[in-house]
Amino acid sequence: MSDKHYDALPKAHTTYANIVKSLLPIGNSGKVSKDQLPQATYYVDDLHIDQENLDDYRKICGFADNGKVPITYFSVLSQTLQMNMMVKEPFPFAMLGLVHVDNSVTQYRPIGERETVAMSVTFDNLRDHAQGQQFDFVTTVKSKDEVVWEGTSTYLSRGKKPSSSKDKKSKPRPVTVKPTIDDNGTHSVFEVPEDIGRRYAFVSGDFNLIHLHPLSARAFGFPKAIAHGMWSKAKCLALMDELPDACTVDVSFKLPIFLPAEVELIAEPVSQLQNTDDGCEFGLFSAKNDKPHLAGLVTLKTAK
């Protein structure tokens, strides 16, 4: 097993320098088997929240400045470790071809913005998919020995599906049919500006070329730049009622949001979570043709 400990999150500019270096043919001789993921876990042992970055994140996503870490923020922070793991370990897939398809975050209690926590990220659950192969990055955040937050980001590497193994069934996804608007829920129509990908990249550190400009997006088969999935998830949650102290938010990313765009959020009332085990469904749709961009589900969680 290859484990690495950091004193702080790696800086974005050093991370992307390593990414560019990994794309060069020099030193990349030999093939890596696609039958297994690296056995590696990366740690930040004492993670201090960068207050300026957190403030910028709140502003671009719409979260309140309430002294608490937004439920999606650790997913953003973990991406730097994820990128380093894909570069430094014998990672079997092309980074530029990965598609973020699902994200799940669980908060076991509110986390203060001044808390010092420990973060770890590991590879997990390589499985076949009709369009190639999927795998997970699993992130765990602890305060001393207490698990306070967990997250799973699922990525798809498109390619020929291996014929020697069977599909592992994924968990059920939330519905993607546009629901009837509930007067007690959330209904919001808003514009997604053309530059949201560039602005969010500077906050999140995710400078994937498909998000930055139409010209760079076309190089990867997209007619226009597309919004970050994690921005759209965060934006939805920021527009909804306040979430419970302990909950899980599952999201499946559907059709990309081509920039600029007008979108429509429809969410069931979060207040109903106290009276149901089914959770609170929400979805983000194109305001033009009702096609789904994101399907989500909020469920209550008990302390771990």
Side-chain angles (χ1 to χ4, degrees):
M1 178 175 287
S2 175
D3 292 346
K4 185 172 180 60
H5 291 259
Y6 290 89
D7 295 329
L9 282 173
K11 299 297 183 182
H13 69 277
T14 59
T15 299
Y16 273 88
N18 287 329
I19 291 173
V20 172
K21 184 178 179 181
S22 74
L23 301 177
L24 300 175
I26 301 173
N28 287 338
S29 59
K31 293 185 177 180
V32 178
S33 171
K34 294 187 177 181
D35 294 332
Q36 64 180 13
L37 292 167
Q39 299 297 304
T41 303
Y42 281 26
Y43 300 85
V44 178
D45 298 314
D46 293 298
L47 177 60
H48 302 273
I49 301 296
D50 182 323
Q51 191 65 47
E52 184 177 354
N53 181 261
L54 177 58
D55 290 343
D56 290 341
Y57 180 78
R58 285 174 174 145
K59 289 175 183 176
I60 199 168
C61 297
F63 286 111
D65 184 358
N66 58 5
K68 303 174 185 177
V69 178
I71 191 170
T72 49
Y73 188 57
F74 286 115
S75 283
V76 173
L77 296 186
S78 71
Q79 287 181 326
T80 303
L81 289 180
Q82 293 175 24
M83 288 186 288
N84 274 273
M85 293 170 74
M86 288 187 281
V87 169
K88 296 178 180 179
E89 301 298 325
F91 183 63
F93 306 116
M95 290 179 60
L96 295 181
L98 295 178
V99 180
H100 195 181
V101 292
D102 295 294
N103 177 266
S104 175
V105 297
T106 297
Q107 175 179 282
Y108 293 99
R109 66 161 174 81
I111 304 165
E113 62 185 16
R114 304 294 182 183
E115 285 192 51
T116 299
V117 296
M119 174 186 285
S120 65
V121 181
T122 189
F123 294 103
D124 195 27
N125 196 18
L126 178 66
R127 67 268 197 195
D128 294 338
H129 184 272
Q131 297 178 3
Q133 289 175 278
Q134 287 186 343
F135 71 94
D136 297 333
F137 274 114
V138 178
T139 302
T140 303
V141 177
K142 292 183 178 181
S143 177
K144 297 182 179 179
D145 293 328
E146 175 195 13
V147 176
V148 294
W149 189 96
E150 292 178 303
T152 300
S153 291
T154 300
Y155 292 89
L156 167 68
S157 176
R158 289 195 177 103
K160 185 177 180 181
K161 176 182 170 183
S163 59
S164 58
S165 56
K166 298 180 180 179
D167 284 345
K168 294 181 181 179
K169 293 184 178 180
S170 301
K171 61 185 177 183
R173 296 182 178 184
V175 297
T176 57
V177 177
K178 187 175 179 180
T180 303
I181 297 173
D182 189 329
D183 291 339
N184 296 319
T186 300
H187 178 227
S188 178
V189 178
F190 58 95
E191 300 288 337
V192 185
E194 186 274 335
D195 66 346
I196 193 65
R198 295 187 291 276
R199 290 166 51 204
Y200 184 76
F202 281 103
V203 174
S204 67
D206 182 357
F207 287 88
N208 190 322
L209 296 175
I210 62 176
H211 302 302
L212 303 184
H213 194 274
L215 291 178
S216 58
R218 285 175 199 150
F220 297 94
F222 295 98
K224 297 181 179 180
I226 65 175
H228 292 76
M230 287 306 299
W231 174 84
S232 62
K233 177 177 183 176
K235 183 67 175 179
C236 288
L237 295 177
L239 289 169
M240 293 164 59
D241 295 334
E242 186 173 354
L243 297 176
D245 287 347
C247 64
T248 295
V249 184
D250 294 307
V251 155
S252 291
F253 301 115
K254 302 301 182 180
L255 298 174
I257 300 174
F258 293 114
L259 302 174
E262 185 179 44
V263 295
E264 181 178 12
L265 167 65
I266 298 177
E268 293 178 332
V270 176
S271 58
Q272 76 175 20
L273 287 171
Q274 302 296 336
N275 304 313
T276 179
D277 293 329
D278 295 333
C280 165
E281 289 189 346
F282 64 98
L284 189 64
F285 302 87
S286 167
K288 182 179 180 180
N289 55 27
D290 293 345
K291 290 184 177 180
H293 295 302
L294 174 155
L297 182 69
V298 183
T299 52
L300 289 176
K301 197 72 177 179
T302 55
K304 189 162 183 174

